[in-house]
Amino acid sequence: QPNPFPVYTEAPVFVRGNQNAKLYTAGTGNDTFQVLHLWGTPYEKGYAQGQLMTAEVKAVVGAINEYVEAEILHFLPFLPASLVDAIATYGVDPLLNLTYQWTEPFMKQEYKDEMQGIADGAGIDVDLVRMYNMFPELTRAACSIVGANGPSTPGKGINHLRALDIGPDIPIKDQAQVTVYHSSGSSTNTFLTVGWTAMIGSLTGYSASGVGIGEKVWWAASPDLADIYGEPWMFILRNVLEHTVTIGQALDLISGSNRTCAIHVGVGSTSDNEFRGLEIAAKAFNVYNSTSPSMGWEGHPIIPGVLYWDKGVQPSKNACLGDLINMHYGNITAEILALQISPIAKTGDFHTVAFDYEGKIAFIANSRKTFVTDGEDVAYMRQFTRVDMGQLFNEPSP
């Protein structure tokens, strides 16, 4: 069934700030989330977040380590053989730290500085922040991607669904956060990520330059295509938001990166009104558009102007998502993606985000918080909040 709640449309409410950050609360009732604005150098941005949100930072880094300890056996079938061997050799506790060591040589210094700043601001060991940020490198997620434009949408511009399916119970959900990184110079874009406190990479995001991005695990990829050595995929996706304007620039950046695990990526650009789907890994880089011949199979028809993958293993023969897209074809808006397509397709259990690229509007819902007992636990059946991203990008500095 469609999402039953009206979209909450009020602007975020200011909570507190410091020299390089402002914190707001968005949403209403039990479906609120944080909106954090950051300015300054990478270290200053990190320090401002750690100082302003000390309790929240300590909560997420503690929660994720406990979760990995309890749930790691569920992830073993989906991890590269080298990681499984490392768990057998070293145990679970140092796994995230090992992942950081394997990927650290490929990271930009600015990301290391930001993690150090978060730790210093919150007064905690930087290893906790580093390991927390490696969690997505291990798990990825079984998400859905829909990028609609041209004849499929009323205004011909891009509307993009990024539905995160990893189960609704990971405890960091209590610290759901939109983080807005304000540009410190002409060489970078102001952009936002939809994620959680102190997680500096991007699995869902949009930039003031009009580039949007989202990820889904590439289940069917051969293990031989992946590698444990390289730049974490969430950092690569953040690079796209921070440094590109066109679809060509985005593809070139990803192609030239030292990639690791196997994922699908949906990426779009307002400047050329183009959306692409990617399959990437250390030894793979495949690009598709909505009419690529290999995007059509039983239960998954080619739909001009709509690039889509459902949450299943690809090629999925579940016709539900394609049927819903055809039902709304010509009228696919970000709101339709959020309130109609996502809940009926039952995708986006941890968070569901739909971007209207032209309008710079996002519809955001997160899974039910741990201390809440009423309503369904999956994000796509919680109340959505409409976020004016253009307004967020123009927030004045402290």
Side-chain angles (χ1 to χ4, degrees), residues 68 71-88 91-92 95 138-140 219:
V68 171
E71 300 293 326
I72 193 63
L73 291 179
H74 297 163
F75 294 124
L76 289 181
F78 311 114
L79 296 178
S82 52
L83 281 182
V84 175
D85 292 342
I87 294 169
V92 172
L95 179 59
L138 293 181
T139 57
R140 297 159 287 162
W219 292 120

Side-chain angles (χ1 to χ4, degrees), residues 16-341:
R16 59 185 183 272
N18 61 24
Q19 183 177 357
N20 290 101
K22 290 182 180 180
L23 177 65
Y24 289 77
T25 296
T28 186
N30 291 324
D31 292 298
T32 57
F33 53 92
Q34 294 147 164
V35 177
L36 178 68
H37 294 267
L38 297 171
W39 291 265
T41 66
Y43 179 84
E44 288 170 341
K45 288 173 180 173
Y47 190 90
Q49 179 168 194
Q51 183 184 63
L52 192 64
M53 307 184 70
T54 300
E56 293 88 345
V57 171
K58 290 180 177 178
V60 290
V61 299
I64 207 65
N65 287 339
E66 292 177 6
Y67 177 80
V68 171
E69 181 75 34
E71 300 293 326
I72 193 63
L73 291 179
H74 297 163
F75 294 124
L76 289 181
F78 311 114
L79 296 178
S82 52
L83 281 182
V84 175
D85 292 342
I87 294 169
T89 303
Y90 302 107
V92 172
D93 288 346
L95 179 59
L96 293 171
N97 192 33
L98 281 169
T99 303
Y100 180 82
Q101 292 177 32
W102 292 326
T103 58
E104 185 271 338
F106 303 90
M107 292 179 195
K108 290 185 174 183
Q109 185 61 44
E110 60 202 65
Y111 296 160
K112 302 175 195 178
D113 292 345
E114 186 177 348
M115 288 186 282
Q116 185 68 59
I118 292 171
D120 291 349
I124 61 175
D125 190 329
V126 69
D127 282 344
L128 294 174
V129 179
R130 291 169 176 168
M131 290 189 291
Y132 166 69
N133 274 278
M134 293 301 101
F135 171 67
E137 188 73 5
L138 293 181
T139 57
R140 297 159 287 162
C143 318
S144 295
I145 295 171
V146 179
N149 68 343
S152 69
T153 66
K156 311 305 181 186
I158 298 172
N159 293 302
H160 175 187
L161 174 67
R162 191 276 188 266
L164 174 59
D165 291 289
I166 196 172
D169 297 325
I170 303 177
I172 61 173
K173 63 184 179 178
D174 291 344
Q175 306 302 335
Q177 180 170 301
V178 171
T179 306
V180 187
Y181 287 88
H182 291 272
S183 174
S184 55
S186 59
S187 63
T188 60
N189 302 320
T190 294
F191 66 97
L192 62 78
T193 66
V194 185
W196 305 273
T197 301
M199 192 162 284
I200 71 168
S202 179
L203 50 73
T204 307
Y206 185 82
S207 75
S209 70
V211 172
I213 205 158
E215 165 274 350
K216 135 183 193 66
V217 66
W218 182 10
W219 292 120
S222 168
D224 295 338
L225 296 177
D227 199 341
I228 59 175
Y229 298 102
E231 187 175 5
W233 63 263
M234 283 187 65
F235 292 4
I236 294 174
L237 270 55
R238 172 174 165 170
N239 286 342
V240 171
L241 296 174
E242 195 165 9
H243 296 288
T244 71
V245 176
T246 68
I247 199 73
Q249 291 170 350
L251 297 180
D252 287 346
L253 189 153
I254 297 170
S255 175
S257 299
N258 292 294
R259 302 178 301 275
T260 55
C261 52
I263 60 173
H264 295 277
V265 176
V267 58
S269 164
T270 301
S271 68
D272 40 23
N273 198 35
E274 295 286 348
F275 193 91
R276 295 289 184 270
L278 314 180
E279 293 171 337
I280 67 171
K283 301 170 186 174
F285 182 78
N286 306 317
V287 183
Y288 307 95
N289 61 33
S290 65
T291 57
S292 296
S294 56
M295 288 299 292
W297 57 82
E298 181 185 349
H300 191 281
I302 289 175
I303 304 176
V306 187
L307 184 291
Y308 67 105
W309 282 302
D310 70 13
K311 66 182 180 180
V313 178
Q314 303 302 311
S316 167
K317 295 183 179 180
N318 187 330
C320 179
L321 186 56
D323 288 347
L324 288 167
I325 290 168
N326 277 319
M327 181 186 305
H328 294 282
Y329 193 80
N331 295 296
I332 299 174
T333 63
E335 189 166 1
I336 289 289
L337 288 169
L339 301 184
Q340 298 283 336
I341 292 178

